PDB file of all heavy atoms in Angstrom:
ATOM      1  N   ALA A 235     110.008 107.053 126.147  1.00 97.00           N
ATOM      2  CA  ALA A 235     109.064 106.662 127.209  1.00 97.00           C
ATOM      3  C   ALA A 235     109.565 105.455 127.931  1.00 97.00           C
ATOM      4  O   ALA A 235     109.491 105.345 129.173  1.00 97.00           O
ATOM      5  CB  ALA A 235     107.701 106.402 126.597  1.00 97.00           C
ATOM      6  N   TYR A 236     110.138 104.500 127.191  1.00 98.00           N
ATOM      7  CA  TYR A 236     110.674 103.286 127.819  1.00 98.00           C
ATOM      8  C   TYR A 236     111.871 103.563 128.697  1.00 98.00           C
ATOM      9  O   TYR A 236     111.999 103.020 129.792  1.00 98.00           O
ATOM     10  CB  TYR A 236     111.042 102.238 126.740  1.00 98.00           C
ATOM     11  CG  TYR A 236     111.494 100.939 127.298  1.00 98.00           C
ATOM     12  CD1 TYR A 236     110.599 100.114 127.953  1.00 98.00           C
ATOM     13  CD2 TYR A 236     112.819 100.516 127.180  1.00 98.00           C
ATOM     14  CE1 TYR A 236     111.016  98.877 128.467  1.00 98.00           C
ATOM     15  CE2 TYR A 236     113.212  99.316 127.699  1.00 98.00           C
ATOM     16  CZ  TYR A 236     112.321  98.487 128.357  1.00 98.00           C
ATOM     17  OH  TYR A 236     112.735  97.308 128.876  1.00 98.00           O
ATOM     18  N   LEU A 237     112.714 104.488 128.256  1.00 98.00           N
ATOM     19  CA  LEU A 237     113.879 104.869 129.063  1.00 98.00           C
ATOM     20  C   LEU A 237     113.449 105.488 130.382  1.00 98.00           C
ATOM     21  O   LEU A 237     113.963 105.183 131.449  1.00 98.00           O
ATOM     22  CB  LEU A 237     114.776 105.821 128.285  1.00 98.00           C
ATOM     23  CG  LEU A 237     115.584 105.232 127.135  1.00 98.00           C
ATOM     24  CD1 LEU A 237     116.224 106.359 126.291  1.00 98.00           C
ATOM     25  CD2 LEU A 237     116.644 104.262 127.633  1.00 98.00           C
ATOM     26  N   LEU A 238     112.417 106.370 130.319  1.00 98.00           N
ATOM     27  CA  LEU A 238     111.874 106.936 131.551  1.00 98.00           C
ATOM     28  C   LEU A 238     111.308 105.891 132.453  1.00 98.00           C
ATOM     29  O   LEU A 238     111.498 105.911 133.676  1.00 98.00           O
ATOM     30  CB  LEU A 238     110.811 107.993 131.180  1.00 98.00           C
ATOM     31  CG  LEU A 238     111.355 109.295 130.550  1.00 98.00           C
ATOM     32  CD1 LEU A 238     110.196 110.108 129.966  1.00 98.00           C
ATOM     33  CD2 LEU A 238     112.081 110.112 131.571  1.00 98.00           C
ATOM     34  N   GLU A 239     110.584 104.934 131.863  1.00 97.00           N
ATOM     35  CA  GLU A 239     110.019 103.848 132.640  1.00 97.00           C
ATOM     36  C   GLU A 239     111.063 103.017 133.339  1.00 97.00           C
ATOM     37  O   GLU A 239     110.886 102.517 134.468  1.00 97.00           O
ATOM     38  CB  GLU A 239     109.183 102.938 131.728  1.00 97.00           C
ATOM     39  CG  GLU A 239     108.519 101.747 132.431  1.00 97.00           C
ATOM     40  CD  GLU A 239     107.874 100.815 131.464  1.00 97.00           C
ATOM     41  OE1 GLU A 239     108.600 100.046 130.802  1.00 97.00           O
ATOM     42  OE2 GLU A 239     106.633 100.828 131.350  1.00 97.00           O
ATOM     43  N   GLN A 240     112.260 102.891 132.692  1.00 97.00           N
ATOM     44  CA  GLN A 240     113.339 102.115 133.252  1.00 97.00           C
ATOM     45  C   GLN A 240     114.242 102.878 134.194  1.00 97.00           C
ATOM     46  O   GLN A 240     115.291 102.383 134.599  1.00 97.00           O
ATOM     47  CB  GLN A 240     114.152 101.508 132.101  1.00 97.00           C
ATOM     48  CG  GLN A 240     113.387 100.543 131.231  1.00 97.00           C
ATOM     49  CD  GLN A 240     112.889  99.337 132.005  1.00 97.00           C
ATOM     50  OE1 GLN A 240     113.679  98.653 132.691  1.00 97.00           O
ATOM     51  NE2 GLN A 240     111.609  99.076 131.933  1.00 97.00           N
ATOM     52  N   GLY A 241     113.830 104.069 134.582  1.00 96.00           N
ATOM     53  CA  GLY A 241     114.600 104.783 135.591  1.00 96.00           C
ATOM     54  C   GLY A 241     115.521 105.873 135.112  1.00 96.00           C
ATOM     55  O   GLY A 241     116.196 106.524 135.898  1.00 96.00           O
ATOM     56  N   PHE A 242     115.573 106.068 133.795  1.00 97.00           N
ATOM     57  CA  PHE A 242     116.416 107.161 133.266  1.00 97.00           C
ATOM     58  C   PHE A 242     115.655 108.472 133.561  1.00 97.00           C
ATOM     59  O   PHE A 242     114.421 108.538 133.295  1.00 97.00           O
ATOM     60  CB  PHE A 242     116.653 106.991 131.757  1.00 97.00           C
ATOM     61  CG  PHE A 242     117.541 105.837 131.420  1.00 97.00           C
ATOM     62  CD1 PHE A 242     117.065 104.537 131.447  1.00 97.00           C
ATOM     63  CD2 PHE A 242     118.861 106.022 131.088  1.00 97.00           C
ATOM     64  CE1 PHE A 242     117.880 103.459 131.131  1.00 97.00           C
ATOM     65  CE2 PHE A 242     119.714 104.972 130.757  1.00 97.00           C
ATOM     66  CZ  PHE A 242     119.210 103.657 130.807  1.00 97.00           C
ATOM     67  N   LYS A 243     116.319 109.476 134.043  1.00 95.00           N
ATOM     68  CA  LYS A 243     115.640 110.672 134.521  1.00 95.00           C
ATOM     69  C   LYS A 243     115.596 111.816 133.542  1.00 95.00           C
ATOM     70  O   LYS A 243     114.616 112.546 133.443  1.00 95.00           O
ATOM     71  CB  LYS A 243     116.322 111.167 135.807  1.00 95.00           C
ATOM     72  CG  LYS A 243     116.381 110.124 136.927  1.00 95.00           C
ATOM     73  CD  LYS A 243     114.988 109.728 137.402  1.00 95.00           C
ATOM     74  CE  LYS A 243     115.069 108.772 138.585  1.00 95.00           C
ATOM     75  NZ  LYS A 243     113.740 108.270 138.986  1.00 95.00           N
ATOM     76  N   ASP A 244     116.657 112.008 132.793  1.00 97.00           N
ATOM     77  CA  ASP A 244     116.832 113.211 131.937  1.00 97.00           C
ATOM     78  C   ASP A 244     116.786 112.808 130.458  1.00 97.00           C
ATOM     79  O   ASP A 244     117.826 112.680 129.808  1.00 97.00           O
ATOM     80  CB  ASP A 244     118.192 113.868 132.315  1.00 97.00           C
ATOM     81  CG  ASP A 244     118.225 115.327 131.960  1.00 97.00           C
ATOM     82  OD1 ASP A 244     117.152 115.917 131.653  1.00 97.00           O
ATOM     83  OD2 ASP A 244     119.307 115.944 132.005  1.00 97.00           O
ATOM     84  N   VAL A 245     115.573 112.559 129.976  1.00 98.00           N
ATOM     85  CA  VAL A 245     115.438 111.985 128.642  1.00 98.00           C
ATOM     86  C   VAL A 245     114.632 112.938 127.719  1.00 98.00           C
ATOM     87  O   VAL A 245     113.574 113.478 128.113  1.00 98.00           O
ATOM     88  CB  VAL A 245     114.678 110.640 128.709  1.00 98.00           C
ATOM     89  CG1 VAL A 245     114.529 110.051 127.318  1.00 98.00           C
ATOM     90  CG2 VAL A 245     115.407 109.675 129.622  1.00 98.00           C
ATOM     91  N   TYR A 246     115.132 113.140 126.508  1.00 98.00           N
ATOM     92  CA  TYR A 246     114.518 114.022 125.549  1.00 98.00           C
ATOM     93  C   TYR A 246     114.496 113.342 124.184  1.00 98.00           C
ATOM     94  O   TYR A 246     115.079 112.257 124.007  1.00 98.00           O
ATOM     95  CB  TYR A 246     115.292 115.348 125.404  1.00 98.00           C
ATOM     96  CG  TYR A 246     115.394 116.121 126.715  1.00 98.00           C
ATOM     97  CD1 TYR A 246     116.329 115.767 127.704  1.00 98.00           C
ATOM     98  CD2 TYR A 246     114.502 117.158 126.958  1.00 98.00           C
ATOM     99  CE1 TYR A 246     116.378 116.465 128.887  1.00 98.00           C
ATOM    100  CE2 TYR A 246     114.558 117.884 128.150  1.00 98.00           C
ATOM    101  CZ  TYR A 246     115.504 117.516 129.117  1.00 98.00           C
ATOM    102  OH  TYR A 246     115.549 118.200 130.319  1.00 98.00           O
ATOM    103  N   GLN A 247     113.806 113.937 123.221  1.00 98.00           N
ATOM    104  CA  GLN A 247     113.755 113.369 121.871  1.00 98.00           C
ATOM    105  C   GLN A 247     113.816 114.485 120.873  1.00 98.00           C
ATOM    106  O   GLN A 247     113.231 115.543 121.065  1.00 98.00           O
ATOM    107  CB  GLN A 247     112.516 112.507 121.667  1.00 98.00           C
ATOM    108  CG  GLN A 247     111.191 113.208 121.976  1.00 98.00           C
ATOM    109  CD  GLN A 247     109.987 112.301 121.749  1.00 98.00           C
ATOM    110  OE1 GLN A 247     109.910 111.618 120.718  1.00 98.00           O
ATOM    111  NE2 GLN A 247     109.037 112.317 122.651  1.00 98.00           N
ATOM    112  N   LEU A 248     114.510 114.233 119.741  1.00 98.00           N
ATOM    113  CA  LEU A 248     114.584 115.203 118.651  1.00 98.00           C
ATOM    114  C   LEU A 248     113.208 115.272 117.959  1.00 98.00           C
ATOM    115  O   LEU A 248     112.748 114.275 117.381  1.00 98.00           O
ATOM    116  CB  LEU A 248     115.663 114.830 117.658  1.00 98.00           C
ATOM    117  CG  LEU A 248     115.758 115.666 116.382  1.00 98.00           C
ATOM    118  CD1 LEU A 248     116.024 117.137 116.727  1.00 98.00           C
ATOM    119  CD2 LEU A 248     116.820 115.111 115.458  1.00 98.00           C
ATOM    120  N   HIS A 249     112.563 116.419 118.023  1.00 98.00           N
ATOM    121  CA  HIS A 249     111.234 116.553 117.488  1.00 98.00           C
ATOM    122  C   HIS A 249     111.263 116.488 115.948  1.00 98.00           C
ATOM    123  O   HIS A 249     111.914 117.257 115.297  1.00 98.00           O
ATOM    124  CB  HIS A 249     110.657 117.924 117.904  1.00 98.00           C
ATOM    125  CG  HIS A 249     109.207 118.076 117.621  1.00 98.00           C
ATOM    126  ND1 HIS A 249     108.561 119.293 117.636  1.00 98.00           N
ATOM    127  CD2 HIS A 249     108.244 117.162 117.344  1.00 98.00           C
ATOM    128  CE1 HIS A 249     107.285 119.113 117.372  1.00 98.00           C
ATOM    129  NE2 HIS A 249     107.073 117.847 117.167  1.00 98.00           N
ATOM    130  N   GLY A 250     110.541 115.543 115.413  1.00 98.00           N
ATOM    131  CA  GLY A 250     110.472 115.345 113.973  1.00 98.00           C
ATOM    132  C   GLY A 250     111.614 114.572 113.332  1.00 98.00           C
ATOM    133  O   GLY A 250     111.647 114.376 112.137  1.00 98.00           O
ATOM    134  N   GLY A 251     112.535 114.153 114.197  1.00 98.00           N
ATOM    135  CA  GLY A 251     113.611 113.273 113.749  1.00 98.00           C
ATOM    136  C   GLY A 251     114.559 113.899 112.733  1.00 98.00           C
ATOM    137  O   GLY A 251     114.635 115.151 112.573  1.00 98.00           O
ATOM    138  N   ILE A 252     115.333 113.056 112.062  1.00 98.00           N
ATOM    139  CA  ILE A 252     116.349 113.520 111.118  1.00 98.00           C
ATOM    140  C   ILE A 252     115.724 114.333 109.982  1.00 98.00           C
ATOM    141  O   ILE A 252     116.310 115.343 109.532  1.00 98.00           O
ATOM    142  CB  ILE A 252     117.081 112.307 110.534  1.00 98.00           C
ATOM    143  CG1 ILE A 252     117.774 111.495 111.645  1.00 98.00           C
ATOM    144  CG2 ILE A 252     118.121 112.718 109.501  1.00 98.00           C
ATOM    145  CD1 ILE A 252     118.204 110.106 111.221  1.00 98.00           C
ATOM    146  N   ILE A 253     114.567 113.904 109.504  1.00 98.00           N
ATOM    147  CA  ILE A 253     113.941 114.568 108.350  1.00 98.00           C
ATOM    148  C   ILE A 253     113.612 116.032 108.679  1.00 98.00           C
ATOM    149  O   ILE A 253     113.958 116.946 107.901  1.00 98.00           O
ATOM    150  CB  ILE A 253     112.679 113.809 107.884  1.00 98.00           C
ATOM    151  CG1 ILE A 253     113.043 112.377 107.427  1.00 98.00           C
ATOM    152  CG2 ILE A 253     112.035 114.556 106.767  1.00 98.00           C
ATOM    153  CD1 ILE A 253     114.009 112.300 106.299  1.00 98.00           C
ATOM    154  N   LYS A 254     112.975 116.269 109.813  1.00 98.00           N
ATOM    155  CA  LYS A 254     112.641 117.640 110.170  1.00 98.00           C
ATOM    156  C   LYS A 254     113.926 118.437 110.434  1.00 98.00           C
ATOM    157  O   LYS A 254     114.024 119.635 110.103  1.00 98.00           O
ATOM    158  CB  LYS A 254     111.744 117.664 111.398  1.00 98.00           C
ATOM    159  CG  LYS A 254     111.290 119.078 111.784  1.00 98.00           C
ATOM    160  CD  LYS A 254     110.303 119.041 112.958  1.00 98.00           C
ATOM    161  CE  LYS A 254     109.855 120.432 113.330  1.00 98.00           C
ATOM    162  NZ  LYS A 254     108.906 120.433 114.431  1.00 98.00           N
ATOM    163  N   TYR A 255     114.935 117.806 111.032  1.00 98.00           N
ATOM    164  CA  TYR A 255     116.175 118.493 111.337  1.00 98.00           C
ATOM    165  C   TYR A 255     116.813 118.940 110.000  1.00 98.00           C
ATOM    166  O   TYR A 255     117.378 120.039 109.938  1.00 98.00           O
ATOM    167  CB  TYR A 255     117.125 117.567 112.074  1.00 98.00           C
ATOM    168  CG  TYR A 255     118.449 118.207 112.454  1.00 98.00           C
ATOM    169  CD1 TYR A 255     118.533 119.061 113.536  1.00 98.00           C
ATOM    170  CD2 TYR A 255     119.591 117.946 111.705  1.00 98.00           C
ATOM    171  CE1 TYR A 255     119.720 119.699 113.851  1.00 98.00           C
ATOM    172  CE2 TYR A 255     120.805 118.554 112.041  1.00 98.00           C
ATOM    173  CZ  TYR A 255     120.865 119.424 113.083  1.00 98.00           C
ATOM    174  OH  TYR A 255     122.048 120.035 113.420  1.00 98.00           O
ATOM    175  N   GLY A 256     116.758 118.103 108.994  1.00 98.00           N
ATOM    176  CA  GLY A 256     117.285 118.497 107.678  1.00 98.00           C
ATOM    177  C   GLY A 256     116.557 119.663 107.094  1.00 98.00           C
ATOM    178  O   GLY A 256     117.166 120.592 106.495  1.00 98.00           O
ATOM    179  N   MET A 257     115.257 119.728 107.295  1.00 97.00           N
ATOM    180  CA  MET A 257     114.445 120.812 106.740  1.00 97.00           C
ATOM    181  C   MET A 257     114.614 122.151 107.515  1.00 97.00           C
ATOM    182  O   MET A 257     114.641 123.200 106.929  1.00 97.00           O
ATOM    183  CB  MET A 257     112.968 120.417 106.756  1.00 97.00           C
ATOM    184  CG  MET A 257     112.629 119.263 105.835  1.00 97.00           C
ATOM    185  SD  MET A 257     110.906 118.746 106.029  1.00 97.00           S
ATOM    186  CE  MET A 257     110.775 117.494 104.694  1.00 97.00           C
ATOM    187  N   LYS A 258     114.725 122.025 108.832  1.00 97.00           N
ATOM    188  CA  LYS A 258     114.747 123.228 109.700  1.00 97.00           C
ATOM    189  C   LYS A 258     116.151 123.730 110.065  1.00 97.00           C
ATOM    190  O   LYS A 258     116.335 124.901 110.368  1.00 97.00           O
ATOM    191  CB  LYS A 258     113.957 122.940 110.970  1.00 97.00           C
ATOM    192  CG  LYS A 258     112.489 122.581 110.740  1.00 97.00           C
ATOM    193  CD  LYS A 258     111.700 123.739 110.164  1.00 97.00           C
ATOM    194  CE  LYS A 258     110.214 123.442 110.048  1.00 97.00           C
ATOM    195  NZ  LYS A 258     109.447 124.558 109.466  1.00 97.00           N
ATOM    196  N   ALA A 259     117.120 122.829 110.087  1.00 97.00           N
ATOM    197  CA  ALA A 259     118.471 123.217 110.532  1.00 97.00           C
ATOM    198  C   ALA A 259     119.539 122.854 109.528  1.00 97.00           C
ATOM    199  O   ALA A 259     120.712 122.844 109.832  1.00 97.00           O
ATOM    200  CB  ALA A 259     118.772 122.541 111.864  1.00 97.00           C
ATOM    201  N   GLY A 260     119.117 122.573 108.298  1.00 97.00           N
ATOM    202  CA  GLY A 260     120.067 122.290 107.245  1.00 97.00           C
ATOM    203  C   GLY A 260     120.827 120.949 107.365  1.00 97.00           C
ATOM    204  O   GLY A 260     121.732 120.647 106.641  1.00 97.00           O
ATOM    205  N   GLY A 261     120.415 120.138 108.378  1.00 98.00           N
ATOM    206  CA  GLY A 261     121.036 118.867 108.593  1.00 98.00           C
ATOM    207  C   GLY A 261     122.470 118.940 109.046  1.00 98.00           C
ATOM    208  O   GLY A 261     123.213 117.951 108.993  1.00 98.00           O
ATOM    209  N   GLU A 262     122.892 120.071 109.562  1.00 98.00           N
ATOM    210  CA  GLU A 262     124.280 120.272 109.987  1.00 98.00           C
ATOM    211  C   GLU A 262     124.746 119.186 110.982  1.00 98.00           C
ATOM    212  O   GLU A 262     124.042 118.882 111.924  1.00 98.00           O
ATOM    213  CB  GLU A 262     124.477 121.638 110.593  1.00 98.00           C
ATOM    214  CG  GLU A 262     125.907 122.004 110.909  1.00 98.00           C
ATOM    215  CD  GLU A 262     126.112 123.450 111.303  1.00 98.00           C
ATOM    216  OE1 GLU A 262     125.093 124.184 111.413  1.00 98.00           O
ATOM    217  OE2 GLU A 262     127.284 123.838 111.536  1.00 98.00           O
TER     218      GLU A 262
END
Side-chain angles (χ1 to χ4, degrees):
Y236 184 68
L237 288 170
L238 289 167
E239 180 188 75
Q240 295 300 307
F242 292 77
K243 303 298 184 184
D244 204 11
V245 181
Y246 300 81
Q247 55 179 315
L248 174 59
H249 191 195
I252 300 165
I253 299 300
K254 183 175 180 179
Y255 182 78
M257 294 174 174
K258 299 295 184 180
E262 187 171 2

